[in-house]
Amino acid sequence: MARNPKGPATWTRRHLLGIRELTRGELETILARSADCKKTPPDPKTLRGRRLLTFFAESSTRTRTSFGIAARALGAEVIDLSPAGSSLSKGESLRDTAQTIDAMGVDYAVVRHGASGAPHLVAAAIRGSVVNAGDGSNEHPTQALLDLFTIRERLGRLTGLKIALVGDILHSRVARSNIWAHRLLGNAVTLVGPATLMPRAIETTGAVVTHDFDAAIPEHDVIVMLRLQLERQRAGLFPSTEEYSKLYGLTRERLGRVRKGAIVMHPGPMNRGWEIASESADGPESAILDQVRNGIFVRMAVLSLLNQARSVHPENRMPLTREAEPI
Ligand code: NCD
């Protein structure tokens, strides 16, 4: 991908809360740093003396582990906090929890929460940096970044592409972050799914909506399958999972009709047999495990850039862990 000459030479943000607020230059800065991290292991002293907290109020396999691996590789001390075992379950407000985290000298908080905007609230309450690891159905910026990184690795380019996001768009923060990212890059995005799983007015983002997966399949370079987020659905938004997979599942038959050279992606966790058949998840078109592998490099890049921003903006200097109050 060509570097944008108008892009910033340095990264100056203290937080990564969403793709929507990024410039194309910033997006490219993260991807370039991710490639550096993949090529040469970064300095393990980069985050020495820094404390990173993963605060996940929703379950996670990939994202939390990936941030932990990335942060440790950069030399940070990593602490995991699960709300089930924290005072949030005793009724403490998110703001009070955030202030408590701050008083403990946390330099980085990686936050996942069921409520859209929760990481933004934490960002306003702490002196450290916040990375949004998924907030409600709003954004999941590092997922979109690792998706872009993987697309470039597999297809050799990141522009002039046709991207299909398929399935439960309504509840998907991955879809939203991907829409913003591809809009920055000028790629064509098609949203495929039943009308009941399509957010109202989503076309205002520039994406095109279709309910016809069969017609869309051969038209796209990248097919991103999304998990049916049954835990976020209050009422039945489709008749049955069998019905759903008949219309919107990436079955073996549909896989046979993807464009030559196209790739299949899924952020995980997958519901095999519902939105994706095993043949599609495990075949040569699948980039799903590449996404997982690349997530570590992208998170290393994000953490090291946020760390760098501290010296750009001394007023944003966070408490070093050695200045932390005794617990
Ligand atoms: C996604 C999430 O939690 O938003 N998973 C992930 O982080 N890889 C997608 C999902 O849960 O369906």
Side-chain angles (χ1 to χ4, degrees):
M1 184 173 64
R3 300 276 168 87
N4 181 353
K6 292 193 210 108
T10 43
W11 175 270
T12 57
R13 286 182 192 273
R14 184 152 67 102
H15 308 292
L16 178 64
L17 298 173
I19 300 290
R20 191 176 187 173
E21 68 232 26
L22 298 185
T23 64
R24 179 165 175 173
E26 286 171 324
L27 197 72
E28 291 177 4
T29 297
I30 301 173
L31 294 174
R33 178 67 64 91
S34 307
D36 293 345
C37 291
K38 185 159 186 175
K39 210 162 110 202
T40 320
D43 183 353
K45 294 190 290 299
T46 309
L47 295 185
R48 193 168 62 182
R50 306 279 190 258
R51 189 173 285 165
L52 179 140
L53 181 87
T54 62
F55 179 75
F56 277 54
E58 284 190 341
S59 52
S60 166
T61 300
R62 280 148 285 268
T63 307
R64 182 180 204 146
T65 313
S66 175
F67 269 108
I69 293 170
R72 285 189 187 93
L74 297 173
E77 175 193 356
V78 179
I79 306 136
D80 292 319
L81 178 66
S82 301
S86 81
S87 291
L88 267 187
S89 63
K90 297 181 186 169
E92 183 169 66
S93 74
L94 186 58
R95 189 180 300 277
D96 284 337
T97 304
Q99 282 170 348
T100 304
I101 289 170
D102 187 56
M104 290 175 185
V106 164
D107 304 292
Y108 298 92
V110 178
V111 179
R112 168 169 290 188
H113 201 281
S116 299
H120 307 66
L121 194 147
V122 175
I126 75 170
R127 285 167 291 167
S129 289
V130 173
V131 183
N132 181 357
D135 62 325
S137 52
N138 180 41
E139 281 231 35
H140 189 351
T142 56
Q143 179 69 45
L145 290 163
L146 72 89
D147 291 345
L148 295 184
F149 188 85
T150 305
I151 292 170
R152 185 173 58 184
E153 196 175 66
R154 289 285 296 251
L155 299 183
R157 65 198 165 106
L158 256 188
T159 52
L161 295 171
K162 293 180 90 177
I163 315 286
L165 304 173
V166 186
D168 188 351
I169 311 291
L170 182 63
H171 300 102
S172 179
R173 51 200 177 207
V174 175
R176 283 178 186 72
S177 287
N178 266 279
I179 292 170
W180 300 128
H182 288 293
R183 194 167 83 159
L184 274 181
L185 296 167
N187 290 324
V189 175
T190 309
L191 306 175
V192 186
T196 47
L197 293 179
M198 215 44 90
R200 271 191 207 105
I202 192 72
E203 291 95 338
T204 56
T205 61
V208 172
V209 171
T210 177
H211 308 302
D212 189 348
F213 190 22
D214 285 310
I217 281 183
E219 300 296 319
H220 291 85
D221 305 293
V222 178
I223 298 179
V224 182
M225 302 307 298
L226 298 167
R227 184 175 66 87
L228 266 178
Q229 308 217 355
L230 296 179
E231 78 276 17
R232 296 190 207 279
Q233 298 185 13
R234 260 164 263 128
L237 294 174
F238 52 89
S240 68
T241 48
E242 291 77 30
E243 200 75 19
Y244 177 85
S245 76
K246 229 181 266 165
L247 288 170
Y248 296 108
L250 189 56
T251 57
R252 187 174 33 174
E253 188 280 322
R254 289 198 174 103
L255 182 70
R257 293 193 298 106
V258 299
R259 191 180 258 194
K260 190 169 174 334
I263 57 168
V264 170
M265 305 179 90
H266 192 305
M270 291 183 274
N271 293 310
R272 284 176 186 257
W274 290 6
E275 73 266 2
I276 191 162
S278 282
E279 291 87 345
S280 308
D282 304 329
E285 300 84 358
S286 171
I288 296 170
L289 291 177
D290 294 336
Q291 290 173 270
V292 177
R293 282 182 209 106
N294 289 332
I296 294 173
F297 304 113
V298 166
R299 285 161 182 138
M300 282 178 182
V302 167
L303 294 176
S304 72
L305 286 169
L306 292 176
N307 189 53
Q308 186 180 301
R310 292 149 54 106
S311 45
V312 177
H313 283 315
E315 71 276 14
N316 286 342
R317 199 164 281 278
M318 291 166 274
L320 293 174
T321 45
R322 65 182 129 80
E323 297 162 8
E325 293 172 18
I327 298 169

